[in-house]
Amino acid sequence: QVQLVESGGGLVQAGGSLRLSCAASGIIFSITTMAWYRQAPGNQRELVAFRTSGGSTKYTDSVKGRFTISRGNAGNTVYLQMNSLKPEDTAVYYCNAKYGAADYWGQGTQVTVSS
């Protein structure tokens, strides 16, 4: 019932930008916290940003000022705008939704930043 479909990953040079998209279905956005996580090989999954149902946003220190989480104009879509990308941002990025006391995940999308 709950599905998170991600897109937007790819290969980009340092200093470039990408926008990740997460199209959600089966959830009620008004009571859902949406988040982006990332995981590099050998590392733990890291919370990058989240947006509460009330619109409050938080970011991990390493991406503050560069990344922005937002909701689309229409539909249940959340975005992660990533600017000034650095090689250390390279990871698999996952969309996450906390809804109905459950944790839902997208399939992950690879972001590779070359120097």
Side-chain angles (χ1 to χ4, degrees):
Q1 186 77 353
V2 176
Q3 291 186 347
L4 306 177
V5 180
E6 299 167 314
S7 62
L11 175 65
V12 65
Q13 292 185 337
S17 298
L18 286 173
R19 187 175 74 162
L20 306 183
S21 299
C22 176
S25 61
I27 63 173
I28 302 173
F29 253 37
S30 62
I31 59 172
T32 303
T33 293
M34 303 297 298
W36 288 95
Y37 289 74
R38 66 186 180 187
Q39 187 169 22
N43 292 350
Q44 294 186 351
R45 190 167 297 185
E46 173 191 27
L47 175 64
V48 177
F50 70 83
R51 183 187 186 277
T52 69
S53 59
S56 178
T57 60
K58 293 289 185 295
Y59 302 88
T60 191
D61 287 344
S62 63
V63 308
K64 287 180 180 177
R66 300 188 297 119
F67 290 12
T68 303
I69 187 171
S70 63
R71 200 177 88 176
N73 293 329
N76 294 341
T77 303
V78 66
Y79 300 98
L80 185 68
Q81 178 67 47
M82 305 186 294
N83 298 326
S84 302
L85 283 162
K86 304 174 181 179
E88 51 262 44
D89 295 319
T90 296
V92 178
Y93 284 70
Y94 298 90
C95 182
N96 169 266
K98 294 194 179 297
Y99 173 69
D103 213 8
Y104 300 95
W105 296 91
Q107 77 283 2
T109 184
Q110 176 71 48
V111 172
T112 302
V113 184
S114 65
S115 60

